[in-house]
PDB file of all heavy atoms in Angstrom:
ATOM      1  N   SER X1216      50.395 -64.822  62.446  1.00 84.00           N
ATOM      2  CA  SER X1216      51.329 -63.922  61.696  1.00 84.00           C
ATOM      3  C   SER X1216      51.103 -64.164  60.200  1.00 84.00           C
ATOM      4  O   SER X1216      51.848 -63.545  59.394  1.00 84.00           O
ATOM      5  CB  SER X1216      52.709 -64.283  62.009  1.00 84.00           C
ATOM      6  OG  SER X1216      52.908 -65.624  61.985  1.00 84.00           O
ATOM      7  N   LYS X1217      50.161 -65.071  59.771  1.00 87.00           N
ATOM      8  CA  LYS X1217      50.070 -65.273  58.370  1.00 87.00           C
ATOM      9  C   LYS X1217      49.483 -64.065  57.550  1.00 87.00           C
ATOM     10  O   LYS X1217      48.567 -63.648  57.869  1.00 87.00           O
ATOM     11  CB  LYS X1217      49.106 -66.532  58.093  1.00 87.00           C
ATOM     12  CG  LYS X1217      49.369 -67.114  56.722  1.00 87.00           C
ATOM     13  CD  LYS X1217      48.499 -68.367  56.524  1.00 87.00           C
ATOM     14  CE  LYS X1217      48.225 -68.613  55.167  1.00 87.00           C
ATOM     15  NZ  LYS X1217      46.852 -68.677  54.771  1.00 87.00           N
ATOM     16  N   MET X1218      50.274 -63.660  56.608  1.00 86.00           N
ATOM     17  CA  MET X1218      49.836 -62.581  55.686  1.00 86.00           C
ATOM     18  C   MET X1218      49.320 -63.101  54.369  1.00 86.00           C
ATOM     19  O   MET X1218      49.665 -64.185  54.032  1.00 86.00           O
ATOM     20  CB  MET X1218      51.016 -61.603  55.457  1.00 86.00           C
ATOM     21  CG  MET X1218      51.632 -60.998  56.600  1.00 86.00           C
ATOM     22  SD  MET X1218      50.612 -59.888  57.537  1.00 86.00           S
ATOM     23  CE  MET X1218      50.705 -58.316  56.383  1.00 86.00           C
ATOM     24  N   LEU X1219      48.418 -62.409  53.684  1.00 85.00           N
ATOM     25  CA  LEU X1219      48.182 -62.734  52.399  1.00 85.00           C
ATOM     26  C   LEU X1219      48.270 -61.576  51.451  1.00 85.00           C
ATOM     27  O   LEU X1219      48.215 -60.428  51.800  1.00 85.00           O
ATOM     28  CB  LEU X1219      46.739 -63.351  52.295  1.00 85.00           C
ATOM     29  CG  LEU X1219      45.496 -62.504  52.751  1.00 85.00           C
ATOM     30  CD1 LEU X1219      44.966 -61.571  51.587  1.00 85.00           C
ATOM     31  CD2 LEU X1219      44.427 -63.453  53.124  1.00 85.00           C
ATOM     32  N   THR X1220      48.534 -61.864  50.205  1.00 86.00           N
ATOM     33  CA  THR X1220      48.701 -60.897  49.219  1.00 86.00           C
ATOM     34  C   THR X1220      47.570 -60.791  48.384  1.00 86.00           C
ATOM     35  O   THR X1220      47.142 -61.857  47.683  1.00 86.00           O
ATOM     36  CB  THR X1220      49.968 -61.102  48.426  1.00 86.00           C
ATOM     37  OG1 THR X1220      51.055 -61.339  49.292  1.00 86.00           O
ATOM     38  CG2 THR X1220      50.263 -59.962  47.472  1.00 86.00           C
ATOM     39  N   ARG X1221      46.808 -59.612  48.299  1.00 87.00           N
ATOM     40  CA  ARG X1221      45.672 -59.476  47.505  1.00 87.00           C
ATOM     41  C   ARG X1221      46.056 -58.782  46.212  1.00 87.00           C
ATOM     42  O   ARG X1221      46.590 -57.779  46.248  1.00 87.00           O
ATOM     43  CB  ARG X1221      44.526 -58.847  48.189  1.00 87.00           C
ATOM     44  CG  ARG X1221      43.193 -58.926  47.535  1.00 87.00           C
ATOM     45  CD  ARG X1221      42.111 -58.482  48.415  1.00 87.00           C
ATOM     46  NE  ARG X1221      41.882 -59.450  49.464  1.00 87.00           N
ATOM     47  CZ  ARG X1221      41.282 -59.127  50.767  1.00 87.00           C
ATOM     48  NH1 ARG X1221      40.846 -57.906  50.936  1.00 87.00           N
ATOM     49  NH2 ARG X1221      41.071 -60.069  51.582  1.00 87.00           N
ATOM     50  N   LYS X1222      45.775 -59.479  45.000  1.00 89.00           N
ATOM     51  CA  LYS X1222      46.199 -58.918  43.819  1.00 89.00           C
ATOM     52  C   LYS X1222      45.029 -58.304  42.962  1.00 89.00           C
ATOM     53  O   LYS X1222      43.909 -58.869  42.967  1.00 89.00           O
ATOM     54  CB  LYS X1222      46.883 -59.972  42.921  1.00 89.00           C
ATOM     55  CG  LYS X1222      48.177 -60.536  43.575  1.00 89.00           C
ATOM     56  CD  LYS X1222      48.738 -61.717  42.704  1.00 89.00           C
ATOM     57  CE  LYS X1222      49.806 -62.334  43.400  1.00 89.00           C
ATOM     58  NZ  LYS X1222      49.827 -63.765  43.184  1.00 89.00           N
ATOM     59  N   PHE X1223      45.290 -57.249  42.258  1.00 89.00           N
ATOM     60  CA  PHE X1223      44.305 -56.769  41.317  1.00 89.00           C
ATOM     61  C   PHE X1223      44.254 -57.499  40.078  1.00 89.00           C
ATOM     62  O   PHE X1223      43.145 -57.868  39.530  1.00 89.00           O
ATOM     63  CB  PHE X1223      44.573 -55.242  41.181  1.00 89.00           C
ATOM     64  CG  PHE X1223      43.481 -54.664  40.265  1.00 89.00           C
ATOM     65  CD1 PHE X1223      42.180 -54.625  40.565  1.00 89.00           C
ATOM     66  CD2 PHE X1223      43.863 -54.005  39.049  1.00 89.00           C
ATOM     67  CE1 PHE X1223      41.182 -53.953  39.761  1.00 89.00           C
ATOM     68  CE2 PHE X1223      42.915 -53.423  38.150  1.00 89.00           C
ATOM     69  CZ  PHE X1223      41.548 -53.404  38.662  1.00 89.00           C
ATOM     70  N   LEU X1224      45.414 -57.891  39.541  1.00 88.00           N
ATOM     71  CA  LEU X1224      45.522 -58.593  38.382  1.00 88.00           C
ATOM     72  C   LEU X1224      45.361 -60.076  38.512  1.00 88.00           C
ATOM     73  O   LEU X1224      46.347 -60.839  38.190  1.00 88.00           O
ATOM     74  CB  LEU X1224      46.768 -58.265  37.569  1.00 88.00           C
ATOM     75  CG  LEU X1224      46.843 -56.747  37.209  1.00 88.00           C
ATOM     76  CD1 LEU X1224      48.162 -56.378  36.468  1.00 88.00           C
ATOM     77  CD2 LEU X1224      45.655 -56.334  36.348  1.00 88.00           C
ATOM     78  N   ASP X1225      44.227 -60.505  39.099  1.00 88.00           N
ATOM     79  CA  ASP X1225      43.990 -61.902  39.336  1.00 88.00           C
ATOM     80  C   ASP X1225      42.487 -62.040  39.331  1.00 88.00           C
ATOM     81  O   ASP X1225      41.833 -61.366  40.147  1.00 88.00           O
ATOM     82  CB  ASP X1225      44.532 -62.321  40.761  1.00 88.00           C
ATOM     83  CG  ASP X1225      44.375 -63.705  41.096  1.00 88.00           C
ATOM     84  OD1 ASP X1225      43.164 -64.264  40.883  1.00 88.00           O
ATOM     85  OD2 ASP X1225      45.229 -64.507  41.524  1.00 88.00           O
ATOM     86  N   LYS X1226      41.946 -62.855  38.512  1.00 87.00           N
ATOM     87  CA  LYS X1226      40.634 -63.023  38.273  1.00 87.00           C
ATOM     88  C   LYS X1226      39.748 -63.246  39.522  1.00 87.00           C
ATOM     89  O   LYS X1226      38.737 -62.702  39.759  1.00 87.00           O
ATOM     90  CB  LYS X1226      40.241 -64.087  37.183  1.00 87.00           C
ATOM     91  CG  LYS X1226      39.072 -63.736  36.348  1.00 87.00           C
ATOM     92  CD  LYS X1226      38.893 -64.794  35.209  1.00 87.00           C
ATOM     93  CE  LYS X1226      38.501 -66.146  35.809  1.00 87.00           C
ATOM     94  NZ  LYS X1226      38.291 -67.185  34.775  1.00 87.00           N
ATOM     95  N   GLY X1227      40.322 -63.950  40.427  1.00 87.00           N
ATOM     96  CA  GLY X1227      39.662 -64.387  41.627  1.00 87.00           C
ATOM     97  C   GLY X1227      39.735 -63.341  42.708  1.00 87.00           C
ATOM     98  O   GLY X1227      38.950 -63.354  43.678  1.00 87.00           O
ATOM     99  N   GLU X1228      40.664 -62.402  42.533  1.00 90.00           N
ATOM    100  CA  GLU X1228      40.766 -61.384  43.605  1.00 90.00           C
ATOM    101  C   GLU X1228      40.516 -59.980  43.157  1.00 90.00           C
ATOM    102  O   GLU X1228      40.445 -59.052  44.066  1.00 90.00           O
ATOM    103  CB  GLU X1228      42.324 -61.483  44.174  1.00 90.00           C
ATOM    104  CG  GLU X1228      42.593 -62.768  44.879  1.00 90.00           C
ATOM    105  CD  GLU X1228      44.067 -62.810  45.331  1.00 90.00           C
ATOM    106  OE1 GLU X1228      44.673 -61.887  45.368  1.00 90.00           O
ATOM    107  OE2 GLU X1228      44.471 -63.826  45.770  1.00 90.00           O
ATOM    108  N   ALA X1229      40.281 -59.735  41.931  1.00 91.00           N
ATOM    109  CA  ALA X1229      40.165 -58.360  41.386  1.00 91.00           C
ATOM    110  C   ALA X1229      39.172 -57.662  41.961  1.00 91.00           C
ATOM    111  O   ALA X1229      39.099 -56.427  42.362  1.00 91.00           O
ATOM    112  CB  ALA X1229      40.030 -58.422  39.925  1.00 91.00           C
ATOM    113  N   LYS X1230      37.852 -58.299  42.164  1.00 93.00           N
ATOM    114  CA  LYS X1230      36.677 -57.654  42.711  1.00 93.00           C
ATOM    115  C   LYS X1230      36.914 -57.288  44.169  1.00 93.00           C
ATOM    116  O   LYS X1230      36.618 -56.054  44.517  1.00 93.00           O
ATOM    117  CB  LYS X1230      35.452 -58.556  42.611  1.00 93.00           C
ATOM    118  CG  LYS X1230      34.169 -57.843  43.091  1.00 93.00           C
ATOM    119  CD  LYS X1230      32.978 -58.630  42.864  1.00 93.00           C
ATOM    120  CE  LYS X1230      31.704 -57.752  43.385  1.00 93.00           C
ATOM    121  NZ  LYS X1230      30.508 -58.489  43.225  1.00 93.00           N
ATOM    122  N   ARG X1231      37.456 -58.171  44.948  1.00 93.00           N
ATOM    123  CA  ARG X1231      37.755 -57.841  46.372  1.00 93.00           C
ATOM    124  C   ARG X1231      38.692 -56.751  46.484  1.00 93.00           C
ATOM    125  O   ARG X1231      38.602 -55.837  47.312  1.00 93.00           O
ATOM    126  CB  ARG X1231      38.211 -59.094  47.133  1.00 93.00           C
ATOM    127  CG  ARG X1231      38.475 -59.013  48.679  1.00 93.00           C
ATOM    128  CD  ARG X1231      37.191 -58.950  49.394  1.00 93.00           C
ATOM    129  NE  ARG X1231      37.446 -58.944  50.875  1.00 93.00           N
ATOM    130  CZ  ARG X1231      37.341 -60.012  51.719  1.00 93.00           C
ATOM    131  NH1 ARG X1231      37.055 -61.193  51.251  1.00 93.00           N
ATOM    132  NH2 ARG X1231      37.595 -59.952  52.892  1.00 93.00           N
ATOM    133  N   PHE X1232      39.765 -56.705  45.633  1.00 94.00           N
ATOM    134  CA  PHE X1232      40.795 -55.755  45.684  1.00 94.00           C
ATOM    135  C   PHE X1232      40.100 -54.370  45.359  1.00 94.00           C
ATOM    136  O   PHE X1232      40.287 -53.392  46.049  1.00 94.00           O
ATOM    137  CB  PHE X1232      41.835 -56.024  44.546  1.00 94.00           C
ATOM    138  CG  PHE X1232      42.972 -55.070  44.706  1.00 94.00           C
ATOM    139  CD1 PHE X1232      44.271 -55.319  45.318  1.00 94.00           C
ATOM    140  CD2 PHE X1232      42.874 -53.852  43.948  1.00 94.00           C
ATOM    141  CE1 PHE X1232      45.248 -54.467  45.333  1.00 94.00           C
ATOM    142  CE2 PHE X1232      44.004 -53.044  43.976  1.00 94.00           C
ATOM    143  CZ  PHE X1232      45.140 -53.270  44.713  1.00 94.00           C
ATOM    144  N   ALA X1233      39.389 -54.287  44.252  1.00 94.00           N
ATOM    145  CA  ALA X1233      38.693 -52.967  43.914  1.00 94.00           C
ATOM    146  C   ALA X1233      37.699 -52.513  44.939  1.00 94.00           C
ATOM    147  O   ALA X1233      37.696 -51.392  45.274  1.00 94.00           O
ATOM    148  CB  ALA X1233      37.946 -53.242  42.539  1.00 94.00           C
ATOM    149  N   ASN X1234      36.930 -53.641  45.542  1.00 96.00           N
ATOM    150  CA  ASN X1234      36.012 -53.098  46.456  1.00 96.00           C
ATOM    151  C   ASN X1234      36.708 -52.609  47.782  1.00 96.00           C
ATOM    152  O   ASN X1234      36.190 -51.674  48.387  1.00 96.00           O
ATOM    153  CB  ASN X1234      35.187 -54.339  46.931  1.00 96.00           C
ATOM    154  CG  ASN X1234      33.871 -54.410  45.992  1.00 96.00           C
ATOM    155  OD1 ASN X1234      33.600 -53.470  45.405  1.00 96.00           O
ATOM    156  ND2 ASN X1234      33.235 -55.600  46.081  1.00 96.00           N
ATOM    157  N   THR X1235      37.872 -53.142  48.192  1.00 95.00           N
ATOM    158  CA  THR X1235      38.575 -52.632  49.332  1.00 95.00           C
ATOM    159  C   THR X1235      38.975 -51.217  49.034  1.00 95.00           C
ATOM    160  O   THR X1235      38.860 -50.330  49.982  1.00 95.00           O
ATOM    161  CB  THR X1235      39.936 -53.578  49.620  1.00 95.00           C
ATOM    162  OG1 THR X1235      39.387 -54.910  49.579  1.00 95.00           O
ATOM    163  CG2 THR X1235      40.455 -53.211  50.989  1.00 95.00           C
ATOM    164  N   LEU X1236      39.559 -50.886  47.815  1.00 95.00           N
ATOM    165  CA  LEU X1236      39.904 -49.530  47.600  1.00 95.00           C
ATOM    166  C   LEU X1236      38.701 -48.734  47.505  1.00 95.00           C
ATOM    167  O   LEU X1236      38.815 -47.521  47.832  1.00 95.00           O
ATOM    168  CB  LEU X1236      40.675 -49.488  46.209  1.00 95.00           C
ATOM    169  CG  LEU X1236      42.102 -50.166  46.198  1.00 95.00           C
ATOM    170  CD1 LEU X1236      42.913 -49.587  44.957  1.00 95.00           C
ATOM    171  CD2 LEU X1236      42.833 -49.846  47.545  1.00 95.00           C
ATOM    172  N   LEU X1237      37.573 -49.100  46.940  1.00 96.00           N
ATOM    173  CA  LEU X1237      36.319 -48.416  46.890  1.00 96.00           C
ATOM    174  C   LEU X1237      35.999 -47.980  48.316  1.00 96.00           C
ATOM    175  O   LEU X1237      35.731 -46.734  48.723  1.00 96.00           O
ATOM    176  CB  LEU X1237      35.198 -49.092  46.316  1.00 96.00           C
ATOM    177  CG  LEU X1237      33.814 -48.521  46.440  1.00 96.00           C
ATOM    178  CD1 LEU X1237      33.671 -47.114  45.757  1.00 96.00           C
ATOM    179  CD2 LEU X1237      32.618 -49.425  45.753  1.00 96.00           C
ATOM    180  N   MET X1238      36.007 -48.884  49.237  1.00 97.00           N
ATOM    181  CA  MET X1238      35.775 -48.732  50.626  1.00 97.00           C
ATOM    182  C   MET X1238      36.643 -47.662  51.262  1.00 97.00           C
ATOM    183  O   MET X1238      36.231 -46.760  52.000  1.00 97.00           O
ATOM    184  CB  MET X1238      35.558 -50.011  51.379  1.00 97.00           C
ATOM    185  CG  MET X1238      35.236 -49.844  52.938  1.00 97.00           C
ATOM    186  SD  MET X1238      33.700 -48.937  53.196  1.00 97.00           S
ATOM    187  CE  MET X1238      32.637 -50.264  52.812  1.00 97.00           C
ATOM    188  N   ALA X1239      37.903 -47.975  51.033  1.00 96.00           N
ATOM    189  CA  ALA X1239      38.917 -47.022  51.552  1.00 96.00           C
ATOM    190  C   ALA X1239      38.728 -45.578  51.049  1.00 96.00           C
ATOM    191  O   ALA X1239      38.823 -44.601  51.820  1.00 96.00           O
ATOM    192  CB  ALA X1239      40.265 -47.558  51.209  1.00 96.00           C
ATOM    193  N   SER X1240      38.309 -45.421  49.861  1.00 96.00           N
ATOM    194  CA  SER X1240      38.139 -44.056  49.317  1.00 96.00           C
ATOM    195  C   SER X1240      36.854 -43.434  49.812  1.00 96.00           C
ATOM    196  O   SER X1240      36.801 -42.231  50.118  1.00 96.00           O
ATOM    197  CB  SER X1240      38.071 -44.095  47.693  1.00 96.00           C
ATOM    198  OG  SER X1240      36.897 -44.641  47.314  1.00 96.00           O
ATOM    199  N   LEU X1241      35.788 -44.154  50.199  1.00 97.00           N
ATOM    200  CA  LEU X1241      34.668 -43.699  50.811  1.00 97.00           C
ATOM    201  C   LEU X1241      35.004 -43.173  52.268  1.00 97.00           C
ATOM    202  O   LEU X1241      34.598 -42.081  52.579  1.00 97.00           O
ATOM    203  CB  LEU X1241      33.602 -44.753  50.988  1.00 97.00           C
ATOM    204  CG  LEU X1241      32.844 -45.363  49.677  1.00 97.00           C
ATOM    205  CD1 LEU X1241      31.947 -46.431  50.147  1.00 97.00           C
ATOM    206  CD2 LEU X1241      32.113 -44.195  48.915  1.00 97.00           C
ATOM    207  N   ILE X1242      35.749 -43.887  53.002  1.00 97.00           N
ATOM    208  CA  ILE X1242      36.218 -43.523  54.346  1.00 97.00           C
ATOM    209  C   ILE X1242      37.126 -42.281  54.174  1.00 97.00           C
ATOM    210  O   ILE X1242      36.965 -41.459  55.074  1.00 97.00           O
ATOM    211  CB  ILE X1242      36.898 -44.741  55.017  1.00 97.00           C
ATOM    212  CG1 ILE X1242      35.891 -45.906  55.229  1.00 97.00           C
ATOM    213  CG2 ILE X1242      37.403 -44.335  56.376  1.00 97.00           C
ATOM    214  CD1 ILE X1242      36.609 -47.111  55.705  1.00 97.00           C
ATOM    215  N   TYR X1243      38.059 -42.343  53.282  1.00 97.00           N
ATOM    216  CA  TYR X1243      38.951 -41.219  53.145  1.00 97.00           C
ATOM    217  C   TYR X1243      38.180 -39.919  52.826  1.00 97.00           C
ATOM    218  O   TYR X1243      38.470 -38.918  53.392  1.00 97.00           O
ATOM    219  CB  TYR X1243      40.036 -41.512  52.190  1.00 97.00           C
ATOM    220  CG  TYR X1243      41.166 -40.611  52.040  1.00 97.00           C
ATOM    221  CD1 TYR X1243      42.147 -40.474  53.101  1.00 97.00           C
ATOM    222  CD2 TYR X1243      41.482 -39.882  50.872  1.00 97.00           C
ATOM    223  CE1 TYR X1243      43.165 -39.577  53.073  1.00 97.00           C
ATOM    224  CE2 TYR X1243      42.541 -39.025  50.798  1.00 97.00           C
ATOM    225  CZ  TYR X1243      43.418 -38.823  51.887  1.00 97.00           C
ATOM    226  OH  TYR X1243      44.409 -38.035  51.827  1.00 97.00           O
TER     227      TYR X1243
END
Side-chain angles (χ1 to χ4, degrees):
Chain X
S1216 55
K1217 199 177 158 236
M1218 301 291 285
L1219 59 84
T1220 305
R1221 194 165 288 158
K1222 297 175 188 145
F1223 181 56
L1224 297 177
D1225 180 311
K1226 214 174 69 180
E1228 294 180 7
K1230 184 172 176 179
R1231 181 81 175 255
F1232 185 97
N1234 271 344
T1235 310
L1236 289 201
L1237 169 60
M1238 181 54 78
S1240 74
L1241 293 174
I1242 296 171
Y1243 191 62

